[in-house]
Amino acid sequence: GQQVMQIPQYQHVQEGEDFTTYCNSSTTLSNIQWYKQRPGGHPVFLIQLVKSGEVKKQKRLTFQFGEAKKNSSLHITATQTTDVGTYFCAGRLTTDSWGKLQFGAGTQVVVTP
Amino acid sequence: NAGVTQTPKFQVLKTGQSMTLQCAQDMNHEYMSWYRQDPGMGLRLIHYSVGAGITDQGEVPNGYNVSRSTTEDFPLRLLSAAPSQTSVYFCASNNRVNEQYFGPGTRLTVT
């Protein structure tokens, strides 16, 4: 079964609002990555977090990796229509080989102008 | 660089037919993988390869074969297509810091 869970599955956001999507693993992760997929497109790498408690920012996006390295979050401030798409987290289990990732089911984001 | 390329973009097969999905990358990445994407299920790993001549099974390998004779190419073969294999297929390769680059995908329908 799926070891990396993402919530919520869908997120409707008014333009200008903030929202957060969460990623949780039942086991410890070596690292966590986030991807964005636009409708009809392919996943595009956004960021990788490796250290416990790590926080990284990309403009309006803030990524966090939990202290126990079992969860992560993506927070978007002042949502814009360009943020539309599905956001996936992907983690490498400590028991898996380098490069092998477990993807969450994704959070589909719809932005209302 | 073209990055990761996939052919064909679209394909319709009849049940029982076989076909090969092509994937190539020009970034000299050792690690390559194949995923399928179905609604509400994210990306599920079919097969992966850590280098030429080495392949391994992912989460959903049944009904699929792969080979890796060169660093650049990683084709995925459907042995006998079934309607359950209707999906979008993505090929990906990883750079040295494990960032994964995806191809544009192949949309496969099996009737």
Side-chain angles (χ1 to χ4, degrees), chain A residues 63-76:
Chain A
F63 304 85
Q64 289 190 319
F65 200 9
E67 294 289 341
K69 300 183 77 173
K70 287 186 175 182
N71 54 71
S72 181
S73 65
L74 160 58
H75 180 77
I76 300 182

Side-chain angles (χ1 to χ4, degrees), chain A residues 2 9 31 33 35 37 40-43 45 48 88 92 97-101 103-105, chain B residues 31 35 37 40-43 45 48 57 90 94-100 102-104 107:
Chain A
Q2 206 148 23
Q9 188 175 3
N31 57 46
Q33 298 180 357
Y35 292 78
Q37 184 178 24
H42 59 276
F45 175 86
Q48 176 169 250
F88 293 97
R92 179 191 155 202
S97 60
W98 183 92
K100 192 175 179 184
L101 297 171
F103 275 81
Chain B
Y31 190 96
Y35 295 90
Q37 184 174 38
M41 301 192 73
L43 292 145
L45 183 65
Y48 65 98
Q57 296 181 348
F90 288 103
N94 293 31
N95 64 12
R96 291 184 182 277
V97 293
N98 209 22
E99 298 168 354
Q100 200 157 71
F102 285 82
R107 296 179 185 278

Side-chain angles (χ1 to χ4, degrees), chain B residues 72-83:
Chain B
E72 293 77 21
D73 300 298
F74 192 40
L76 177 72
R77 183 163 179 83
L78 278 70
L79 309 172
S80 177

Side-chain angles (χ1 to χ4, degrees), chain B residues 1-16:
Chain B
N1 287 354
V4 181
T5 57
Q6 289 184 241
T7 56
K9 284 191 168 58
F10 302 93
Q11 182 71 50
V12 179
L13 290 177
K14 294 186 177 177
T15 297

Side-chain angles (χ1 to χ4, degrees), chain A residues 17-36:
Chain A
E17 290 182 341
D18 302 352
F19 78 89
T20 304
T21 174
Y22 300 91
C23 182
N24 297 296
S25 170
S26 55
T27 57
T28 304
L29 301 171
S30 294
N31 57 46
I32 190 96
Q33 298 180 357
W34 286 88
Y35 292 78
K36 178 182 178 181

Side-chain angles (χ1 to χ4, degrees), chain B residues 25 29-30 32 49 51-53 67-75:
Chain B
Q25 52 91 10
H29 291 169
E30 292 293 332
M32 296 185 72
S49 169
S67 59
R68 185 93 182 270
S69 55
T70 67
T71 300
E72 293 77 21
D73 300 298
F74 192 40

